[in-house]
Amino acid sequence: MKCEGEIAIGPVHPTMLEPHRLRLFIEDEIIKEAELVIGVNYRGIELIMEGLPPEKISIISEKICGICSHIHVWCNVTVAERGSEIEVPERAEYIRAIVEEYERLHSHMLLFGHAFEVLGFETMAFRAFMIREPIMQMLKEITGGRAQNSCPIIGGIRPRCNIRDSMIPSLLERLEKFEEKLKKLLERTVNDPMIMSRIKDVGVLDKKTAKKLHALGPTARGSGVHSDMRKMGQVPIYDNFEFEEILFDDGDVFSRLAVRFYECLESVKIIKQGLNDLKTLDNKIYNPNYEIKEFKPIDVYNEAQRGQVYYSYGVDENGRVRHVKIRTPTATNLACMEAILPDHHISDAELIIASCDPCFTCTDRMIVVEKRD
């Protein structure tokens, strides 16, 4: 496409937390075409995992992402558990889900702070981070780590991650306070005409395009597409909780942010149910009597903060992992970001990308090298 000019952004940009290369082809500061490329942080993690025992690769999988580390470990150990038919105590499954919902809260709050920062509303950005901080503190109390939790292990969870009954009243009280502050943040956001003018009817991803490009997570649900793995029977423990899949139909930046706002309230609902149910469950959190068997690659899906996470691997006759495949939601959402950038002002570009909450580093699963004569 012939355009008047080109603006190149990245691989380092002050408002984006991870490296990416964005090329905007413009006319009169209006984007006509966009090209989004990643690949700077390729680490070859699947190749490193090949040939290791399943217990070791779970630790490596946690390093794929610093924001959604828990979901990677949970998916990783689930492959081994299903492939080797390992029984996991119910209490351990509950705590895995509880920690994941805490992780969803801190990730969504991080996105709110980031979005406000991109918009130039520093006060609202800091407010979002202040509201997020108690969630990080609760995660540390439960697991021992704020971001790298190392909670799931094959057969259950680590002993230090067991949520004692004495901890529950304090956790519930702080969740109530978090919920109150989150609702105030949402109210202030929707009642601020300056903020709404920047996020309403901007970066529209219509339902048809979202389906065509296989949008995932809140990016899909902001366009009215059902996509929650927790509601699709992929994560059986969530059948024990009452919660709603949040959908908005407009597909703009506001819709994608609103999905996350209301998902936070649903996550609080899930955590509260989980904490109360723990009081009635057996205290067993780990099954040590397991044996890793040989099995062919199997598929495991879960719902991370940004959408569907896919894990697959098999184990050979020597107990070594083979054919590792990992796919994160940003991998398919990248095409959506490119599709919705045209016809917007260049000042909206990074905001539109940020509203899809990309995780570029954990998406760098493969690199292609072309050999030329």
Side-chain angles (χ1 to χ4, degrees), residues 111-239:
L111 184 274
F112 299 148
H114 182 38
F116 288 131
E117 183 181 23
V118 173
L119 284 168
F121 289 82
E122 294 289 343
T123 301
M124 293 291 280
F126 281 112
R127 188 177 296 275
F129 281 110
M130 287 174 63
I131 297 172
R132 174 178 178 262
E133 181 57 27
I135 298 299
M136 305 304 295
Q137 293 174 1
M138 283 186 271
L139 266 174
K140 185 177 181 180
E141 288 179 23
I142 294 170
T143 68
R146 286 168 62 93
Q148 300 282 302
N149 311 120
S150 302
C151 176
I153 52 176
I154 297 175
I157 62 170
R158 296 182 188 277
R160 59 175 166 78
C161 298
N162 190 10
I163 300 175
R164 303 181 302 277
D165 288 350
S166 60
M167 299 170 60
I168 294 175
S170 174
L171 294 173
L172 289 172
E173 181 182 353
R174 282 178 283 175
L175 280 170
E176 289 284 352
K177 293 180 180 179
F178 167 81
E179 191 173 14
E180 292 174 6
K181 292 179 180 179
L182 179 66
K183 289 178 179 178
K184 289 181 180 178
L185 181 67
L186 174 59
E187 183 180 1
R188 291 191 61 157
T189 300
V190 299
N191 288 322
D192 190 315
M194 292 291 289
I195 294 177
M196 294 302 292
S197 67
R198 292 291 310 280
I199 64 178
K200 194 66 178 167
D201 300 321
V202 174
V204 176
L205 175 66
D206 64 80
K207 190 172 185 177
K208 181 180 179 180
T209 304
K211 286 184 175 182
K212 177 183 177 182
L213 299 177
H214 303 285
L216 297 172
T219 300
R221 294 191 284 277
S223 299
V225 178
H226 293 275
S227 63
D228 196 329
M229 295 292 101
R230 299 172 298 173
K231 284 290 189 180
M232 295 180 177
Q234 295 292 336
V235 198
I237 189 62
Y238 282 98
D239 294 340

Side-chain angles (χ1 to χ4, degrees), residues 291-344:
E291 179 184 354
I292 298 295
K293 304 175 183 178
E294 179 183 0
F295 61 87
K296 294 181 179 180
I298 63 171
D299 301 332
V300 166
Y301 298 88
N302 206 322
E303 184 70 20
Q305 299 89 299
R306 293 163 179 81
Q308 179 197 95
V309 171
Y310 165 78
Y311 264 72
S312 177
Y313 63 80
V315 173
D316 64 18
E317 67 275 9
N318 298 314
R320 302 289 171 165
V321 168
R322 300 298 177 192
H323 309 296
V324 181
K325 293 182 181 179
I326 303 169
R327 187 182 67 236
T328 58
T330 299
T332 54
N333 284 340
L334 286 171
C336 299
M337 297 175 215
E338 285 187 342
I340 59 180
L341 281 170
D343 299 323
H344 288 87

Side-chain angles (χ1 to χ4, degrees), residues 38-39 41-47 49 64-65 72 310-311 324-328 331 359-367:
I38 61 174
N41 272 4
Y42 170 71
R43 292 166 289 169
I45 285 179
E46 285 97 340
L47 296 176
M49 290 178 173
I64 289 175
C65 182
H72 280 283
Y310 165 78
Y311 264 72
V324 181
K325 293 182 181 179
I326 303 169
R327 187 182 67 236
T328 58
C359 189
F360 296 127
T361 301
C362 72
T363 305
D364 268 337
R365 303 266 56 82
M366 179 179 70
I367 190 169

